[in-house]
Amino acid sequence: MTDQTPRTPRTPRTPSTPRTSRTLHLNAFLMNAGHHDAAWRHPDSSPERVTDLRYFQELARTAERGRLDSVFFADGLALWGKARYNALGGFEPLTLLSAIAAVTEHIGLIATVSTTFNEPFHTARKFASLDHISGGRAGWNIVTSGTVDEARNFNRDEHLEHGLRYDRAREFLDVATKLWDSWEDDAIVLDKERGIYADTDKLHPAAHRGEHFGVAGPLNVPRSPQGHPLLVQAGSSEDGKEFAAQYAEAVFTAQQTLADGQTFYKDLKSRLAKFGRTESDLLVLPGIAPVIGSTEAEAKALEQQLTELQVPEYGLAQLSGMLGVDLTGLPLDGPLPDLPEERDINGNKSRFTLVAELGRREGLTLRELIARLGAGRGHRVFAGTPEQIADQLEEWFTRGAADGFNIMAPVLPTGLTDFVDQVVPILQRRGLFRTEYTGRTLRENYGLPRPANRYARAGRSA
């Protein structure tokens, strides 16, 4: 089932109509056979290639051909869902992105890494390495992890409490940025005659001792092309929004309607000033799963085909995880059962709220809700022609709901190829999207500044 937002006709415009300089940012969110939970059963998908490096390199090159800002890989530290019914598992993302960096030149490379089940030194070192390997294209999607299954892979019987996870994440990021700054940009001297490789006055210990971490430093990787990787965040709870307003430079989010998107966008941007930031310092990028057809009927038919390929047991298990309630054995054509309050959820609070409200607002049965979540897991799904999809992106962009989008192709590789070859040219003709990369680094293509090194800045001030 698709998004039910009423369509607003696009105002006709000639190619010469002037525009502002603001343009969309588009990321390709890649997931094995595709984002639909039945994608692996579709004849156009390639589930046998989920551990084939060349497959993901090809996808990344397709995204780069479309001049997209980045490719993005979500990640978890447990096997998500039921492998009996879906093409699950795959590569660790930083390893994969390092290999993708070798066959691409411009596309950004964003990986999810958890602050709950990693250490700051490891994480800072890996992202600095990826940034050097790629020539300045690394991005970190910062998550706190959301499931007890992940906790049980790291010596815990239960997950850390939601607020505590964000306290740890703040300190984790503080340590990571100290480590990235521990080499000043001009610390490497390379004076062969005098035998001096680095000016050690420009190497700085992190000297961090906090509630969660004790880290001496400095990092054993010199400062990277971007200084810090692009910092991305994906939580939309109250804790998540406060964290994003303070630290994030891009936010991956999920809203079902234009009104919800506008509300989230305004709320998040309004929080920036108290942290000394401006609205341009943070990009809001909702996810959208575009089901593309040459006609609207063709797109709807593809959407229905995917729904018919769903395995109900998989969808029910996925829905149970989102809602924190075991739905096993409940009638698929019955309503949602009574659900806990959001305050009692210790997993992904924002996704719980979105899914619960969607089911209640539209009076969906469990079967209908599983169908609605099949392609986007709470992200908006829209089936239509390339022109209609471009209209939707333009509407959200121009009406204060988005700075760009995470494109979640329901089936790979065809869904990404169709978006790049059919939707991107429309956006380019409308002046909404770049025709060439204008920057070398991911930060430059996002229009975001390179962070100043704190120690060099302090030295100049002194």
Side-chain angles (χ1 to χ4, degrees):
M1 300 291 288
T2 51
D3 166 37
Q4 300 298 309
T5 306
R7 296 180 190 167
T8 302
R10 185 173 63 85
T11 302
R13 182 176 57 250
T14 64
S16 60
T17 303
R19 275 200 171 275
T20 66
S21 59
R22 180 172 174 258
T23 53
L24 283 163
H25 295 283
L26 299 174
N27 299 317
F29 181 178
L30 303 179
M31 184 171 283
N32 285 1
H35 278 270
H36 200 286
D37 58 41
W40 71 279
R41 301 184 67 193
H42 193 275
D44 290 341
S45 71
S46 302
E48 71 282 0
R49 300 189 70 191
V50 300
T51 52
D52 179 351
L53 170 60
R54 292 169 299 175
Y55 170 64
F56 289 103
Q57 289 176 326
E58 290 162 11
L59 291 172
R61 285 196 291 261
T62 297
E64 187 167 74
R65 177 165 56 80
R67 308 297 189 263
L68 271 60
D69 291 80
S70 73
V71 292
F72 161 56
F73 290 93
D75 191 43
L77 297 169
L79 183 62
W80 285 341
K82 292 192 173 185
R84 180 178 179 87
Y85 303 121
N86 200 354
L88 303 176
F91 291 122
E92 186 281 317
L94 279 165
T95 306
L96 175 58
L97 287 172
S98 294
I100 289 174
V103 298
T104 56
E105 294 182 17
H106 301 283
I107 194 85
L109 309 167
I110 301 178
T112 296
V113 172
S114 170
T115 58
T116 304
F117 302 115
N118 284 287
E119 290 289 320
F121 193 94
H122 282 138
T123 302
R125 185 187 190 202
K126 290 173 183 177
F127 276 106
S129 298
L130 177 61
D131 208 46
H132 278 293
I133 289 167
S134 65
R137 295 185 278 144
W140 174 19
N141 179 42
I142 305 162
V143 301
T144 65
S145 298
T147 70
V148 70
D149 288 339
E150 291 170 290
R152 290 172 182 169
N153 285 333
F154 292 86
N155 301 309
R156 293 183 179 273
D157 292 328
E158 298 296 334
H159 206 353
L160 290 177
E161 186 272 326
H162 189 271
L164 179 59
R165 298 202 302 270
Y166 274 98
D167 290 341
R168 178 185 166 97
R170 290 183 182 90
E171 187 178 339
F172 192 112
L173 186 56
D174 181 35
V175 178
T177 54
K178 287 177 181 176
L179 290 167
W180 289 322
D181 283 349
S182 60
W183 292 64
E184 294 186 36
D185 288 309
D186 57 351
I188 297 177
V189 177
L190 284 177
D191 189 331
K192 293 184 178 181
E193 288 190 10
R194 292 192 298 153
I196 297 174
Y197 175 73
D199 180 350
T200 51
D201 289 338
K202 295 185 177 182
L203 268 66
H204 306 275
H208 180 90
R209 179 64 60 179
E211 182 178 354
H212 301 282
F213 305 106
V215 180
L219 194 63
N220 55 355
V221 180
R223 200 161 196 251
S224 71
Q226 292 188 114
H228 304 172
L230 180 80
L231 300 178
V232 184
Q233 191 266 351
S236 299
S237 65
E238 280 301 306
D239 286 330
K241 287 186 284 191
E242 281 295 287
F243 185 88
Q246 186 172 1
Y247 300 109
E249 295 163 303
V251 168
F252 296 155
T253 184
Q255 281 82 43
Q256 286 284 316
T257 68
L258 174 63
D260 287 345
Q262 290 169 323
T263 298
F264 178 85
Y265 187 95
K266 183 177 180 181
D267 178 17
L268 189 55
K269 298 273 187 172
S270 72
R271 298 172 187 245
L272 294 167
K274 67 183 175 184
F275 298 109
R277 307 180 70 197
T278 67
E279 290 193 7
S280 63
D281 292 332
L282 176 63
L283 302 173
V284 177
L285 308 171
I288 183 170
V291 185
I292 305 171
S294 58
T295 64
E296 186 173 349
E298 183 180 295
K300 298 286 188 184
L302 173 57
E303 182 181 43
Q304 182 59 33
Q305 181 185 17
L306 289 167
T307 296
E308 291 170 356
L309 289 172
Q310 283 186 293
V311 179
E313 291 86 349
Y314 181 87
L316 199 63
Q318 180 173 257
L319 184 57
S320 296
M322 290 179 180
L323 295 175
V325 174
D326 186 359
L327 304 173
T328 305
L330 293 181
L332 288 175
D333 294 312
L336 276 174
D338 291 336
L339 299 174
E341 298 293 326
E342 181 187 301
R343 64 175 178 269
D344 298 324
I345 296 296
N346 194 35
N348 189 327
K349 288 180 181 286
S350 57
R351 193 56 53 89
F352 165 85
T353 301
L354 185 151
V355 172
E357 289 181 352
L358 173 63
R360 289 165 178 160
R361 181 176 63 242
E362 300 188 20
L364 301 177
T365 66
L366 292 179
R367 190 188 305 276
E368 290 168 337
L369 191 52
I370 288 168
R372 287 290 293 274
L373 297 172
R377 302 174 308 284
H379 292 276
R380 192 166 58 115
V381 181
F382 186 85
T385 64
E387 186 86 13
Q388 289 172 329
I389 290 165
D391 289 347
Q392 287 288 303
L393 302 186
E394 179 173 4
E395 182 177 35
W396 279 51
F397 180 62
T398 58
R399 294 185 62 185
D403 296 306
F405 297 89
N406 239 357
I407 305 303
M408 303 165 57
V411 178
L412 289 172
T414 52
L416 179 61
T417 302
D418 289 346
F419 184 85
V420 163
D421 291 341
Q422 299 175 36
V423 180
V424 166
I426 296 171
L427 297 172
Q428 291 171 329
R429 288 195 295 271
R430 295 182 186 181
L432 288 164
F433 192 61
R434 68 171 68 89
T435 55
E436 295 294 339
Y437 288 105
T438 55
R440 179 67 188 87
T441 70
L442 178 55
R443 286 181 170 279
E444 289 170 349
N445 286 321
Y446 263 62
L448 295 169
R450 185 179 189 270
N453 184 292
R454 72 184 66 197
Y455 301 107
R457 186 172 61 238
R460 286 194 297 270
S461 298

